Amino acid sequence: MADAFSSLVETFRNVGVARAYGAPVQIGGEELIPVALVSFGFGGGGDSGPEGANASAEGGGGGGFVLPLGAYLTNGQGRVVFRANTLAVLVGLVPVVCAVGMSVRGVLKAVTASRR
């Protein structure tokens, strides 16, 4: 199990900003730098079983996702601007909107309960 964990750590050692910002691409005379939200995780565990038994169990797994947020590009005046991927940004905001809605609901319930 330790060897597998060491292998995973080594594989993901350089994951970070390099994965969030893609390599520059030339399209129609303009340079584009893609931007994404990158998330991943992994874990594992084991059990040696009851004392004196020779049975043991180990396991692990992982996963991740990439959400394309948009791209940096140069406009006609030579300034760098960010062009958002509207659909991806809306999908990314869904958990935030849900959390805010649940918080407001909780506050409203507390206020109405205290007025009774």
Side-chain angles (χ1 to χ4, degrees), residues 17-41:
V17 174
R19 298 289 184 232
Y21 295 94
V25 179
Q26 292 287 334
I27 297 178
E30 290 186 338
E31 185 176 53
L32 236 78
I33 301 174
V35 180
L37 174 65
V38 180
S39 179
F40 66 93

Side-chain angles (χ1 to χ4, degrees), residues 54-113:
N54 291 331
S56 67
E58 297 177 344
F65 73 93
V66 176
L67 182 65
L69 297 178
Y72 283 106
L73 56 104
T74 54
N75 64 7
Q77 294 87 23
R79 296 181 59 202
V80 177
V81 295
F82 180 75
R83 297 286 308 262
N85 176 349
T86 309
L87 181 60
V89 171
L90 289 174
V91 168
L93 286 176
V94 167
V96 174
V97 171
C98 288
V100 169
M102 291 173 68
S103 298
V104 169
R105 179 180 174 212
V107 168
L108 290 176
K109 274 186 166 182
V111 168
T112 56

